[in-house]
Amino acid sequence: MRCVGLTPSEHRETVQGCPCSAEATKYTASWRAAQVRVTRLAEELPLLPEAEGLLRLLADGKEAEDLGNLLPQLQVRGLARLLDDDDTRPVITDLGRTYLAARDDNRTATTVLVVDVDKKKRVARVDVSAWRPDEPVTVLMDQIANDSGLDADSLTGQWLEADANCDASDADDLVLTGFRPLAAMPSGWIRMGGEDE
């Protein structure tokens, strides 16, 4: 809901761009949700080739003319913006870079273990088997619950499957999508009492 969604209507204009809940502010719920939204956009409903071409020119730092009035398509999705309010020079945003990474990266299915859930902050920490299994990453609790159909109370300790860009260099660039129940655990993964389950 961001800050503006929790503010009485007479004060909404004042808090409209509040950075503590903005998509551009790392580690906020809005930032995490935007990473997922843009990654899913790249996978499921990509830009027209001309718009993506413009975005790639901006990513390379090249001068780009907005042929066909493509910039508004990028702006409405948060992928590009004008350098400042009075300028006509477009630049790529961090979300635009996330979009291009999702278009270019190899996304694969991987098993994930929900390590713990913080219901107050509405986040969960998960181990990603195909990335760095001993380095938990933070994802939105509601994303896992909505994708998988599982209740938030039952998430801790659950093995699930999700799609990820496992070549990501750090947790900030790792984006998990499509959480789903794991059909079957591979033989030998969990040992109890010295015996394979």
Side-chain angles (χ1 to χ4, degrees), residues 28-183:
T28 63
S30 294
W31 176 79
R32 293 183 199 286
Q35 301 295 304
V36 172
R37 175 184 59 80
V38 167
T39 299
R40 291 191 62 198
L41 175 70
E43 293 179 310
E44 299 168 15
L45 194 60
L47 298 170
L48 294 173
E50 298 83 6
E52 186 170 314
L54 175 59
L55 191 62
R56 289 187 185 280
L57 282 174
L58 297 177
D60 291 339
K62 296 181 179 170
E63 292 287 327
E65 289 192 24
D66 186 12
L67 303 175
N69 200 23
L70 301 170
L71 184 61
Q73 295 178 44
L74 302 179
Q75 287 178 296
V76 76
R77 291 171 175 87
L79 306 179
R81 63 178 179 81
L82 294 176
L83 194 56
D84 58 50
D85 291 338
D86 297 328
D87 202 341
T88 57
R89 188 169 34 151
V91 293
I92 191 169
T93 64
D94 287 341
L95 282 178
R97 294 187 190 285
T98 299
Y99 173 90
L100 291 177
R103 294 287 291 155
D104 298 337
D105 288 350
N106 181 27
R107 295 187 60 77
T108 57
T110 180
T111 54
V112 297
L113 171 65
V114 181
V115 176
D116 54 41
V117 174
D118 184 333
K119 285 204 246 177
K120 185 175 181 182
K121 293 182 180 178
R122 305 199 70 76
V123 295
R125 291 185 319 135
V126 301
D127 283 339
V128 182
S129 300
W131 186 63
R132 296 178 189 159
D134 296 327
E135 186 179 328
V137 295
T138 303
V139 295
L140 295 172
M141 176 191 78
D142 294 312
Q143 178 195 357
I144 301 173
N146 291 338
D147 285 358
S148 68
L150 297 172
D151 184 80
D153 291 327
S154 66
L155 290 177
T156 301
Q158 286 283 340
W159 283 96
L160 301 169
E161 190 173 47
D163 299 318
N165 52 329
C166 295
D167 295 331
S169 59
D170 60 48
D172 290 353
D173 296 326
L174 183 70
V175 181
L176 296 159
T177 57
F179 287 90
R180 53 205 175 266
L182 190 59

Side-chain angles (χ1 to χ4, degrees), residues 178-192:
F179 287 90
R180 53 205 175 266
L182 190 59
M185 287 297 293
S187 177
W189 269 39
I190 299 178
R191 296 181 183 272
M192 296 186 69

